[in-house]
Amino acid sequence: MDTIPNSLCLSPTSDLTVKSSAVRCFFPIRNRYSVNFRSSPTRIELNRNRFSGLSLRPMRGKSWARSAQIMDQSASKTDSSAPTIVEVDLGDRSYPIYIGSGLLDQPEILQRHVHGKRVLIVTNDTVGPLYLDKVAEALTVGNPNVSIESVILPDGEKYKDMDTLMKVFDKAIESRLDRRCTFVALGGGVIGDMCGYAAASFLRGVNFIQIPTTVMAQVDSSVGGKTGINHRLGKNLIGAFYQPQCVVVDTDTLNTLPERELASGFAEVIKYGLIRDAEFFEWQEKNMPSLLARDPAALAYAIKRSCENKAEVVSLDEKESGLRATLNLGHTFGHAIETGFGYGQWLHGEAVAVGTVMAVDMSYRLGWIDDTIVSRVLAILKQAKLPTAPPDSMTVEMFKSIMAVDKKVADGLLRLILLKGPLGNCVFTGDYDRKALDETLHSFCKS
């Protein structure tokens, strides 16, 4: 069973060290702020109270993490045209997330992260016609020694499989790429996951860069090094943790994003507010119309704040031994919908939105949250034009059978991310009343 690391050393204003396999700790942070951390072999809780910085110091040569500072809550103060950098701090594998308008027109950003002289751009037949030439030019302008290859995959979650992945390997091998080559993922979450997994596997690992072009990929899937493909029995069951050299988020690519894809990405943005950033959630409640209208300042702020949250968690728990699992609020239910209903029938964010509603419903049934959180979650998801109930074809047994092979199952125990306490707090646990899970499933399914 996965466990939380037994040694944790925080250094905000003073040094504190904790060594235990089951511990509850309270750390003062800069006088006015606090973080409440509880762990055990099957459970992790992280309760935040508006702290401005959290850092881990290196212990026995391991990677150390530094969180980003919480930024100003006003989107009007965010200049979407100016590149912003959020750091994912993983020691010698740290990398920047560049966020801004027109970044694909700044070739020096991409070129500084290319290793060797050979580049393979992996994209799909939707994004390729829009941005492939622009990215190829950015990689080669003033840099004639670099040669570009590309592979264009079919678009859609249903193609996130081994057969499609082999097309990337075929192109790389046919082009005689070597270990100094760079793979570039140009597209949404499917392309990012597949290109990253191909980079992790080709010649046992080559350099790669993420250029996400959807909200979903920009705020979540391109950050943190999760790569992989689906299996017919479950989503993302085959893959690897493999970090990119950088992530380049050009917010201008969202101008060509269909409305449905735009809304889908907001499910992940909403998630960050619910599990760890109440002020961000409150900002979203006020600014969702601006996000849907593609206001540049609002989008830039939402992307940056989401990336800061994701980077902080990944820096603390890269390979999901505990804390990082909390980023999967609603995903266990959502992945079951994607698998049971058919990959690509619903967008990932649409399934996650419903999964979030189900997780919130279960949290309420357990008595862990009050009804105001339930109503606020339903309201913001509806405002974002996202579904709040699963397809009619989903049954209780379908949910149970698919959730039984979820990656968060340990020793036969299904662990879930649920909300507990005030807004912005959650738990990752297998310690819950199974009756509440059954009641939630029956309340959302017709059979």
Side-chain angles (χ1 to χ4, degrees):
M1 181 178 294
D2 294 338
T3 59
I4 308 305
N6 288 342
S7 297
L8 179 66
C9 181
L10 293 93
S11 180
T13 56
S14 61
D15 294 339
L16 294 171
T17 302
V18 179
K19 295 184 179 181
S20 174
S21 59
V23 66
R24 179 185 176 94
C25 305
F26 177 86
F27 300 105
I29 306 291
R30 301 178 192 261
N31 299 322
R32 292 180 298 143
Y33 307 113
S34 64
V35 56
N36 191 358
F37 181 89
R38 169 190 281 178
S39 74
S40 73
T42 61
R43 183 185 186 96
I44 180 168
E45 295 186 25
L46 181 63
N47 300 321
R48 293 162 50 100
N49 184 14
R50 289 181 47 203
F51 64 94
S52 61
L54 173 66
S55 63
L56 292 186
R57 302 179 64 190
M59 299 184 66
R60 298 185 180 90
K62 292 184 179 180
S63 299
W64 65 282
R66 182 184 68 238
S67 72
Q69 284 193 336
I70 293 179
M71 69 176 290
D72 193 299
Q73 294 299 305
S74 173
S76 64
K77 296 182 181 180
T78 302
D79 182 359
S80 61
S81 65
T84 299
I85 298 176
V86 175
E87 185 81 8
V88 181
D89 204 332
L90 293 169
D92 59 1
R93 291 175 296 102
S94 299
Y95 57 92
I97 308 167
Y98 300 96
I99 305 169
S101 172
L103 300 192
L104 295 183
D105 296 317
Q106 300 180 37
E108 67 279 1
I109 293 177
L110 283 174
Q111 290 185 18
R112 72 171 63 113
H113 295 284
V114 171
H115 294 177
K117 300 178 180 180
R118 308 291 304 281
V119 175
L120 175 63
I121 302 174
V122 181
T123 188
N124 63 36
D125 51 18
T126 299
V127 177
L130 297 171
Y131 301 111
L132 178 56
D133 289 345
K134 179 185 283 286
V135 171
E137 181 180 0
L139 289 163
T140 57
V141 63
N143 197 19
N145 292 327
V146 170
S147 64
I148 304 293
E149 304 288 346
S150 64
V151 57
I152 300 177
L153 306 178
D155 185 15
E157 185 79 31
K158 64 182 179 181
Y159 298 110
K160 189 179 170 183
D161 57 20
M162 189 63 73
D163 288 341
T164 308
L165 182 70
M166 282 298 161
K167 297 180 186 298
V168 181
F169 293 130
D170 289 346
K171 184 65 177 181
I173 295 169
E174 290 167 1
S175 302
R176 298 184 181 180
L177 300 185
D178 58 29
R179 282 178 169 162
R180 284 185 53 77
C181 72
T182 297
F183 284 15
V184 174
L186 174 62
V190 172
I191 288 295
D193 281 6
M194 294 185 70
C195 179
Y197 188 35
S201 306
F202 182 64
L203 301 178
R204 296 188 175 91
V206 298
N207 181 61
F208 94 105
I209 292 170
Q210 288 268 21
I211 305 178
T213 60
T214 65
V215 173
M216 175 68 65
Q218 291 178 357
V219 303
D220 187 72
S221 63
S222 68
V223 179
K226 277 188 177 181
T227 70
I229 57 174
N230 299 329
H231 187 276
R232 62 182 178 81
L233 297 178
K235 186 176 169 69
N236 294 332
L237 295 181
I238 302 166
F241 287 98
Y242 196 67
Q243 303 295 342
Q245 287 295 308
C246 72
V247 180
V248 179
V249 177
D250 188 335
T251 55
D252 289 354
T253 60
L254 299 181
N255 294 335
T256 55
L257 193 65
E259 294 290 335
R260 186 182 172 194
E261 290 273 4
L262 184 78
S264 174
F266 294 144
E268 297 285 1
V269 176
I270 292 167
K271 167 198 74 179
Y272 291 116
L274 289 174
I275 64 171
R276 65 192 324 269
D277 196 341
E279 290 182 3
F280 186 32
F281 185 84
E282 291 163 2
W283 177 88
Q284 294 168 38
E285 289 179 309
K286 298 174 183 175
N287 290 276
M288 186 56 68
S290 296
L291 292 171
L292 290 169
R294 306 179 197 238
D295 177 77
L299 285 172
Y301 175 77
I303 294 165
K304 179 181 178 182
R305 189 71 202 111
S306 297
C307 286
E308 286 176 334
N309 273 297
K310 181 74 176 277
E312 182 179 314
V313 171
V314 170
S315 295
L316 293 168
D317 179 20
E318 180 184 3
K319 295 189 176 180
E320 204 167 291
S321 60
L323 174 61
R324 184 170 178 177
T326 61
L327 295 174
N328 291 318
L329 175 71
H331 284 58
T332 301
F333 295 105
H335 286 172
I337 293 171
E338 290 184 270
T339 303
F341 194 44
Y343 294 130
Q345 298 299 311
W346 273 25
L347 297 177
H348 176 63
E350 294 170 337
V352 167
V354 174
T356 298
V357 173
M358 296 177 74
V360 170
D361 177 87
M362 183 174 165
S363 301
Y364 178 70
R365 290 177 188 274
L366 289 166
W368 291 357
I369 58 173
D370 61 42
D371 58 358
T372 61
I373 293 179
V374 177
S375 61
R376 289 173 73 182
V377 170
L378 284 170
I380 197 169
L381 289 172
K382 289 178 179 177
Q383 190 179 19
K385 301 179 181 179
L386 288 165
T388 55
D392 291 342
S393 60
M394 289 296 297
T395 67
V396 171
E397 288 307 312
M398 288 172 67
F399 269 108
K400 286 186 173 181
S401 63
I402 297 169
M403 290 164 68
V405 297
D406 186 86
K407 296 186 296 300
K408 292 179 288 300
V409 171
D411 294 335
L413 180 68
L414 175 63
R415 298 175 296 172
L416 294 170
I417 298 87
L418 300 169
L419 301 186
K420 189 173 186 179
L423 185 70
N425 297 286
C426 68
V427 293
F428 172 46
T429 182
D431 183 16
Y432 54 82
D433 187 347
R434 267 52 190 171
K435 181 181 177 182
L437 175 58
D438 285 341
E439 289 176 349
T440 291
L441 291 175
H442 280 94
S443 69
F444 280 88
C445 300
K446 294 183 177 180
S447 61

